[in-house]
Amino acid sequence: MSEHKINVVPRKGNGGALGAGQKLKFHIMRFNPADPASVPHLQTYELEQTAGMTLFIALNEIREKLDPSLQFDFVCRAGICGSCAMVINGRPGLACRTLAQDVGPEITLAPLPVFELIGDLSVNTGKWMRAMSERLEAWCHLKQQEVDLTRLEERMDPDLAEQIFELDRCIECGCCVSACGTARMREDFIGAVGINKIARFRLDPRDARSDAEYYDVIGDDDGVFGCMSLLGCHDVCPKDLPLQTQLAFVRRKMAAQGFK
Ligand code: SF4
Ligand code: F3S
Ligand code: FES
């Protein structure tokens, strides 16, 4: 089985690598949609960089020491839950896996577009992902109606299991959707994350759906044919999923089966 490392994302900011003690300036988008008096604006905070400071650490320090009203989401701090995705200097990424030294000393943070804004940097990706998954029925449609627990599980070819595992690494962070021009224009576009889900279940030998049934679900302008191959999705995916390959593969398969 190949190894999938979670790397802290090295990305050059305005100044490149910075040392501990360096002053950092955070320009953070503030807006509370629940407050009629709230107006979207950038608010600036200054912090001193510490060794190994991620944006997760920095945001917590800002909230603890400078502004308890700042809203943002974190759960795992390890690139697993996907909840800390935000736009970092214009590019979607995970705050817990981004070092301040790689994006500073001037750091602009904004919430992911496309998703419902809860407040400041916090967005409701769960609502979007759930609606998309329900639309695609992105779960295993078991061939057997009832699972016989007295039988041993059927063996799966290790290479196939590895291929499924590769696509299953998606953490539903929403970065690919936020980086996609089509998703910004088409409210119901399923994005690379949706196409990846269909590709994953199509591979699964336990799933009862035929190729035609899979492709029927994604064979319109809200699915594969809405994708304009902009590939922002592929560039920003923090899990390095092979989105470009999956999109091309699904298109080729659909063309071979007469979908246009
Ligand atoms: Fe995030 Fe990548 Fe999954 Fe998109 S495909 S939701 S960028 S992990
Ligand atoms: Fe969007 Fe990725 Fe297609 S960025 S247009 S889903 S290639
Ligand atoms: Fe879970 Fe960043 S906090 S991915």
Side-chain angles (χ1 to χ4, degrees), residues 173-188:
C173 63
C175 288
C176 57
V177 179
S178 289
C180 171
T182 306
R184 304 283 280 268
M185 292 184 294
R186 301 187 75 94
E187 199 183 330
D188 289 328

Side-chain angles (χ1 to χ4, degrees), residues 6 56 73-85 93-97 171 173 238-239:
I6 302 170
F56 160 77
D73 297 317
F74 289 94
V75 178
C76 72
R77 297 178 285 163
I80 297 168
C81 72
S83 61
C84 68
L94 298 180
C96 74
R97 307 307 296 165
I171 54 172
C173 63
K239 306 302 284 186

